[in-house]
Amino acid sequence: MTRVSSALRPTGEWSEAKEIPLPSGTVRVGLDERVLCEFTWQSFENPTAGKPWQSIDVVFQCKKAAESWPASLFNLNFSFESHGMIELGQAQCSSSPALQFLAEVLRSTKDTGPCCARVAKFIVPLTKGQIVRSDIIPRRLVDCELIESTVSFANPLHFHTGNPLSSAELCDLQSIFSASTAGMLLKDAPKLAGEVNCRVLSHLVESELTNRLSFPWIITQSIPRKKLAIVEGGFAHPDDGGNGSSIYTAAKSLGIDIVVLDNAGHWLEGPKFSEWREAFLPTKLVQPPDAEFADRIVQSIQSYHGKVDAIVTFCDSYQVPVAEAAQRLGLETPGPTAYDIATDKFKLSVFEGRDAKLVSGTAEALELAGRGDVNYPAIVKPCSGWCSEGVMRIDNTSDFLSALERMQNIEAGSHGNKFVIEPYCSGPEVDANFVLFDGEILFFEVSDDFPKSADMNGATEPGKLGTFQELDGVYPSQLPAAEQSLLRVWFHNTLLRLGLRNGVMHLEGRVDNSAFEYRSENGLLDLHARGGASKDDPSPWLIEINPRPLGLKAAEIIESTYGIDYWGLALIIAVHDKERAKALTRPFLNGPQYTSILVLIQTDYDQSSCEGIFDSEDICLELCTRRPDLAKQISSSGCFTGQK
């Protein structure tokens, strides 16, 4: 927590050295014919100092209040008095984000107590143009400890004149709201730190705004509205942990209209989520894709009454047929060959020059094991698998035979009967994420994946195979900068050789002969420098390429840590909007706002039958209730109910 001089007054009241009168007024909140509360306000303009926005503080104090405040805003009415009286009706109150924000600010001011002040800060763009995305201000301020809440007042593709508010307009609360693109309620200063008054708190927030908003979030060039077709609208329902809200709310805020192609009866087809998409085109999708998959995509798009600017899928196994359909429709695509290699574990391993073997079914695997034609330790995994399902480490022929039963279960599922057997790399595992536009790296970051149970085979029960299910991830990586640079150069070169030049690319890999290793010290497992020098230099080891943003809620961690929304960028790049892609890949000025950890709590069930019953409420909520000390450190959580 930032501390300041104890000479400052430990109060929530506003202190201002200027002698000149300040813009001020009164706000009254009424219900029916009664006045519930009366508030005074004063506005202060913060120094612009070359920043492309004007920052205005409005300080509210409660002068008279009823005991209760209605839960619903619909019946409330507001009146403002500065140069006169202006009445606002009930309909405006319920529909306007600005008035809803005002109601929140006034409610918080009332709850803070008499004669105590609360500060709302307003942002007025000083650049003429359209906002890069309507919710950009709230998204860039996620987890800022100085701010209680942030609300955007902008519509998608909202145009701002770039004119600052004049001294006269600072006297009119309505003018402040009308010109602002967003408002934020600052934390209650005395509760935040007893020695920090409102003015100092505002200055601290100004520093955070410089850190988080120093990028071109107003685009001076005209932004045309685009229409994007998405094949496969989301396997999981949003109520069951699906990432639909991340994709479709991003599209809405970016002013991109979405056309969804998926099976009839999909959760996006009904009225509940109709605002997330412009159209739903019932299209037969099967897993794995059949020979007619691309034909059905082309037919659906051609039968649609509107013009589609681009087509994309975030389902790895659909990338090849969707690229085929895009070619036939004359839409931009790297082509099916690039995706065919990138999404096939065997072909990618060969592309990287490794000694990989392909087996079709357990019979061929058994024959291979009998010949002794496998160099141990090795990895066995489906060629077209996902979520690390069916990925096994085998250290000897006995392990290989034990793996056959799992392989039979996988064959009967949706991963297919083709498996790759390749060497095992024991170096630290990483996620490496790229944002590419025309082959240029706009953003890159690396995170650490803690060892999986299969990495520890030697320490587990004899004959028991571990898994490569995700456990913990740390953002950003703690590996040496030189090793992260190796990953960047090598993996980028692989993507370019494949022809993958545009999009968000989620790669998984390891660092062979890394200078660091995972080791337990004082009961804690973490990365530590190896003792002594290695005889070989570190080298990148690519495991897989996922030509889409990372899943399992990890994209949300990247956004809160760096300020970069991968799902929004995937949509922007799909419609080839370079200006906004460049703007939205600018991280916080001061780097990551914290080190964050993704902790995945795996269920314990019989791996051989791959079945289990989730018989609990939200265990994350229960943990937060039971351990409020831990809850303070948790930015967000979720429970993937309904999954095996």
Side-chain angles (χ1 to χ4, degrees), residues 329-382:
L329 292 164
L331 300 175
E332 185 167 332
T333 174
T337 302
Y339 289 125
D340 183 44
I341 297 174
T343 59
D344 186 297
K345 308 293 192 297
F346 169 71
K347 294 178 180 177
L348 181 61
S349 188
V350 172
F351 190 78
E352 285 290 276
R354 291 200 286 270
D355 179 23
K357 296 175 173 62
L358 175 68
V359 295
S360 297
T362 53
E364 286 188 18
L366 187 60
E367 181 182 345
L368 187 69
R371 294 200 309 266
D373 195 17
V374 178
N375 294 320
Y376 300 106
I379 294 293
V380 180
K381 57 186 177 183

Side-chain angles (χ1 to χ4, degrees), residues 271-581:
K272 183 177 180 180
F273 298 99
S274 60
E275 65 175 17
W276 283 7
R277 43 78 178 170
E278 180 180 279
F280 182 91
L281 307 181
T283 307
K284 182 182 178 182
L285 307 184
V286 294
Q287 192 69 265
D290 56 17
E292 294 77 31
F293 195 101
D295 294 336
R296 294 193 294 271
I297 300 300
V298 172
Q299 291 169 6
S300 291
I301 295 296
Q302 289 178 338
S303 65
Y304 176 58
H305 60 82
K307 175 183 177 292
V308 170
D309 296 293
I311 186 170
V312 70
T313 183
F314 300 117
C315 176
D316 295 343
S317 57
Y318 291 167
Q319 295 284 2
V320 172
V322 170
E324 292 174 358
Q327 280 187 334
R328 291 162 57 181
L329 292 164
L331 300 175
E332 185 167 332
T333 174
T337 302
Y339 289 125
D340 183 44
I341 297 174
T343 59
D344 186 297
K345 308 293 192 297
F346 169 71
K347 294 178 180 177
L348 181 61
S349 188
V350 172
F351 190 78
E352 285 290 276
R354 291 200 286 270
D355 179 23
K357 296 175 173 62
L358 175 68
V359 295
S360 297
T362 53
E364 286 188 18
L366 187 60
E367 181 182 345
L368 187 69
R371 294 200 309 266
D373 195 17
V374 178
N375 294 320
Y376 300 106
I379 294 293
V380 180
K381 57 186 177 183
C383 290
S384 59
W386 55 82
C387 294
S388 299
E389 291 181 2
V391 182
M392 297 164 279
R393 170 183 162 183
I394 53 175
D395 289 345
N396 47 53
T397 303
S398 177
D399 282 351
F400 200 167
L401 296 175
S402 298
L404 292 179
E405 185 177 356
R406 284 199 202 172
M407 294 171 68
Q408 287 176 328
N409 290 325
I410 293 168
E411 284 185 80
S414 56
H415 294 311
N417 69 337
K418 294 185 182 297
F419 297 84
V420 58
I421 302 169
E422 64 179 2
Y424 168 72
C425 175
S426 61
E429 186 171 347
V430 297
D431 283 356
N433 297 298
F434 292 80
V435 181
L436 301 179
F437 201 102
D438 290 340
E440 178 188 355
I441 300 175
L442 299 185
F443 181 73
F444 169 78
E445 50 81 22
V446 181
S447 62
D448 297 321
D449 281 348
F450 266 52
K452 320 298 192 299
S453 63
D455 287 313
M456 308 293 187
N457 273 359
T460 55
E461 300 176 32
K464 182 178 180 180
L465 296 176
T467 73
F468 284 92
Q469 295 290 324
E470 302 283 347
L471 295 175
D472 299 332
V474 178
Y475 308 77
S477 172
Q478 302 304 303
L479 287 174
E483 294 187 8
Q484 294 188 47
S485 180
L486 277 175
L487 293 169
R488 175 189 172 109
V489 173
W490 184 276
F491 289 174
H492 182 221
N493 183 56
T494 296
L495 292 169
L496 295 183
R497 286 190 297 126
L498 282 169
L500 296 174
R501 300 173 53 82
N502 292 285
V504 179
M505 304 291 164
H506 170 53
L507 282 66
E508 299 178 18
R510 293 178 182 254
V511 180
D512 200 14
N513 302 311
S514 172
F516 275 58
E517 65 179 352
Y518 282 97
R519 189 170 66 244
S520 289
E521 292 187 1
N522 300 320
L524 295 176
L525 179 68
D526 206 347
L527 273 175
H528 298 279
R530 287 181 180 273
S534 173
K535 63 178 182 179
D536 297 313
D537 292 331
S539 61
W541 183 282
L542 180 60
I543 296 175
E544 64 181 50
I545 295 175
N546 303 282
R548 43 122 179 114
L550 61 171
L552 291 174
K553 298 293 185 181
E556 296 178 15
I557 291 182
I558 300 299
E559 183 175 11
S560 63
T561 303
Y562 296 92
I564 305 296
D565 175 24
Y566 281 153
W567 287 110
L569 282 164
L571 302 175
I572 281 292
I573 296 172
V575 298
H576 220 68
D577 188 335
K578 187 173 185 177
E579 288 304 310
R580 286 203 284 177

